[in-house]
Amino acid sequence: MTDRRLSNSTRQALPASVAVPGYDRNRVVPGIVHLGVGAFHRAHQAAYVDDCLAAGGTDWGIVGVSLRSADTRDALAPQDGLYTLAVRSSDSESLRVVGSILSMLVAPEDPGAVLAALTDPRTAIVTLTITEKAYLRAAGGGLDTAHPDIVHDLANPQMPRTAHGFLAESLARRRAAGIQPFTVLCCDNLPANGATLHRLLVEFAGLRGTDLARHIADEVAFPSSMVDRIVPATTDADRARISGQLGVEDAWPVMTEPFCQWVIEDDFPAGRPDWERFGVTMVGDVEPFEDMKLRLLNGSHSAIAYLGLLSGHETVDRAFADPAIRQFVDGLWAEAITTLPKDVGLDTADYTAQLAKRYSNTALAHRTAQIANDGSQKLPQRIVASAMERMSAGAPPAYLMLVVAAWIAACEARGKALPESLFTDPLDLALSALDTRHLSPGEAAVAVFDLAGFAKDGTERLTLIDLAAAHLERLRQGGVAAAFTALGIVNRRP
Ligand code: CS2
């Protein structure tokens, strides 16, 4: 192992097979501030922007912001922000060094620096991948105004902790200084993600003053977007393998699949990169794409995660190779597809065929436990929304509700059949206080639906709870095999 690091000065010495930024990074100016510089951002948006910079769009460099930990900055700062993107299929791997992240800030260390970057007149777009839970939605979908970080940000507007606090304060400062607002581009897996963030931020700003709320409501654009690329967490073995191939150390390379998709609503009053030149689809309404992705990809991902964990499968490809799980996923897709719009040209057969191929990628080793995190934040848009729509169309969502029951069962199994902290959830404290293992399946389902706000205002609530409870009973008594048998799925595993 070498002690030389990947950096501006070592990048030219990399093996010829590794693609490197072919542009002068010193000429790139920051035009985008990104909140949440995790692996997903680095495999997705930062790669699109890298293409744009390589084609001469030098106004769109990225300032990366971590809202919580210093890990990524600590890994990338000695590398001048450079990192390797390893694109892996079952039988090949290609390496590319990405240069679009110009600098990184760690919000808890220096919130003032983050506000300065957001207020910089050159910042035309603020993008976010902060994960579902960081939007701080209450069980009913509105802002969780009692959350300690929201309370903190309202009391200390100059020293924010949350995305809401940073966005509201910087938009207020821009407004006071006569600087055009930036466009806010949400890239998280939320339904109508732009409109959802817009609504939450207006609610937050309203607690600071009606003037700011009105400004954000009327004058700031929040296009929605659908993002898609599977990005497993980087392991130490990945770090060693990639550094070995580079001949210099990369402290945090990112692993991903060949597939990559980004669909964005075209509403950027302050300008934007020529994204369509680099494979981004610009549309007037992203909702059909977003629903298809959330319900078919993310919904089945969560299903594979919980049923996979309960069946002893550590990775998505192994779980998906289990014939019973595969059969279940087909049934889940069939239920969810009926909830998607028919008249907008979605090709669901092609989409699910591609998903099946992507899930079978053996090089990714995408851990079921990784996807299992934050179920309370994910299931509403991935599973419960489709289930409610199916119910109101008079069709029982039997497969969909097994996913909710499997989540409850997997939570109950932690500390027993599964390791205690195999996955986490923002509701963990409340879930352990409930201790649903000691409740009947019916009582457990009611308690969890209430806690997580599932189907809160739906007339379908009671029927969904009954379906989930019946599945939970079978999962508790006979495991996944019993739940599958009740659906008519033959468990052909030995
Ligand atoms: C996954 C997503 O971890 C999860 O919950 O379902 O991160 C998924 O891999 C991406 O949305 C794919 O685009």
Side-chain angles (χ1 to χ4, degrees):
M1 172 63 68
T2 166
D3 52 10
R4 288 201 311 153
R5 285 290 276 274
L6 174 64
S7 69
N8 280 337
S9 56
T10 59
R11 73 174 164 155
Q12 299 307 346
L14 300 177
S17 58
V18 179
V20 292
Y23 51 91
D24 180 359
R25 296 183 76 215
N26 293 319
R27 289 191 41 234
V28 177
V29 292
I32 300 174
V33 173
H34 182 78
L35 307 184
V37 198
F40 181 81
H41 168 71
R42 295 198 280 135
H44 188 267
Q45 182 193 333
Y48 283 103
V49 172
D50 194 51
D51 288 340
C52 167
L53 299 178
T58 48
D59 290 347
W60 298 107
I62 300 171
V63 175
V65 177
S66 291
L67 288 179
R68 295 159 69 99
S69 111
D71 297 6
T72 309
R73 191 275 319 272
D74 291 349
L76 297 197
Q79 303 182 178
D80 302 317
L82 296 173
Y83 61 92
T84 313
L85 184 59
V87 180
R88 315 192 74 196
S89 59
S90 294
D91 49 17
S92 70
E93 176 174 63
S94 65
L95 305 187
R96 154 183 189 182
V97 172
V98 175
S100 52
I101 299 182
L102 304 180
S103 60
M104 286 208 47
L105 300 169
V106 179
E109 282 177 9
D110 193 353
V114 177
L115 286 170
L118 290 166
T119 313
D120 187 324
R122 294 174 301 178
T123 300
I125 304 176
V126 177
T127 50
L128 300 92
T129 50
I130 55 177
T131 79
E132 296 88 337
K133 63 174 174 285
Y135 290 87
L136 304 174
R137 292 169 298 162
L143 187 71
D144 182 359
T145 51
H147 192 285
D149 288 344
I150 295 286
V151 174
H152 171 276
D153 282 9
L154 289 169
N156 306 277
Q158 317 286 327
M159 302 280 286
R161 288 180 184 157
T162 69
H164 302 305
F166 280 108
L167 292 174
E169 176 61 15
S170 55
L171 285 165
R173 289 186 188 185
R174 291 176 82 104
R175 184 178 185 219
I179 304 169
Q180 183 180 16
F182 44 68
T183 298
V184 184
L185 178 59
C186 179
C187 301
D188 275 295
N189 289 319
L190 297 171
N193 56 5
T196 300
L197 175 54
H198 198 179
R199 178 173 53 70
L200 293 167
L201 194 63
V202 168
E203 200 180 332
F204 177 83
L207 299 170
R208 291 186 39 163
T210 43
D211 232 34
L212 181 61
R214 198 168 313 120
H215 171 65
I216 295 175
D218 296 345
E219 283 166 56
V220 184
F222 285 75
S224 284
S225 79
M226 182 272 259
V227 294
D228 189 7
R229 196 165 213 187
I230 292 175
V231 186
T234 303
T235 64
D236 287 341
D238 293 325
R239 288 186 173 85
R241 185 170 44 79
I242 299 297
S243 299
Q245 290 181 45
L246 297 178
V248 295
E249 188 195 347
D250 182 348
W252 208 330
V254 178
M255 307 298 116
T256 193
E257 60 172 343
F259 184 94
C260 195
Q261 191 179 17
W262 200 3
V263 185
I264 308 177
E265 277 171 6
D266 202 355
D267 182 16
F268 290 82
R272 63 167 175 82
D274 284 338
W275 271 317
E276 53 273 75
R277 283 181 59 201
F278 312 105
V280 178
T281 310
M282 304 301 299
V283 296
D285 177 13
V286 90
E287 199 175 320
F289 298 93
E290 201 171 34
D291 280 350
M292 178 162 78
K293 194 255 170 170
L294 283 170
R295 295 178 185 197
L296 300 186
L297 189 158
N298 296 114
S300 64
H301 243 181
S302 291
I304 291 168
Y306 300 119
L307 293 164
L309 286 177
L310 293 171
S311 309
H313 299 301
E314 270 187 39
T315 61
V316 170
D317 61 298
R318 297 234 180 108
F320 198 64
D322 176 332
I325 291 187
R326 176 62 218 264
Q327 212 183 318
F328 174 80
V329 169
D330 282 336
L332 183 74
W333 281 335
E335 280 188 359
I337 283 170
T338 62
T339 71
L340 298 174
K342 309 276 172 293
D343 47 358
V344 289
L346 298 178
D347 187 344
T348 54
D350 179 61
Y351 192 77
T352 50
Q354 281 202 62
L355 285 182
K357 203 166 146 226
R358 294 169 68 191
Y359 291 171
S360 306
N361 184 338
T362 52
L364 289 180
H366 194 191
R367 294 182 64 242
T368 42
Q370 181 183 340
I371 302 167
N373 286 311
D374 302 340
S376 66
Q377 309 292 302
K378 293 174 175 175
L379 294 183
Q381 54 275 9
R382 296 179 177 203
I383 297 291
V384 180
S386 321
M388 286 171 69
E389 284 173 33
R390 246 186 100 80
M391 284 283 308
S392 51
Y399 283 69
L400 288 157
M401 279 301 107
L402 178 53
V403 184
V404 175
W407 171 58
I408 301 174
C411 290
E412 290 179 351
R414 283 181 302 174
K416 301 263 179 204
L418 297 175
E420 178 73 54
S421 51
L422 184 64
F423 60 90
T424 61
D425 194 287
L427 293 185
D428 273 343
L429 272 181
L431 281 168
S432 62
L434 273 181
D435 198 2
T436 57
R437 278 181 293 214
H438 297 108
L439 302 176
S440 71
E443 289 163 347
V446 171
V448 172
F449 268 66
D450 281 351
L451 181 64
F454 291 163
K456 193 161 180 271
D457 303 313
T459 48
E460 306 83 5
R461 184 172 171 274
L462 289 179
T463 318
L464 296 183
I465 287 175
D466 284 349
L467 280 169
H471 285 310
L472 182 60
E473 179 152 30
R474 288 187 282 265
L475 287 171
R476 283 178 177 177
Q477 281 170 6
V480 173
F484 279 173
T485 305
L487 289 174
I489 295 172
V490 196
N491 196 334
R492 281 178 275 137
R493 273 203 306 155

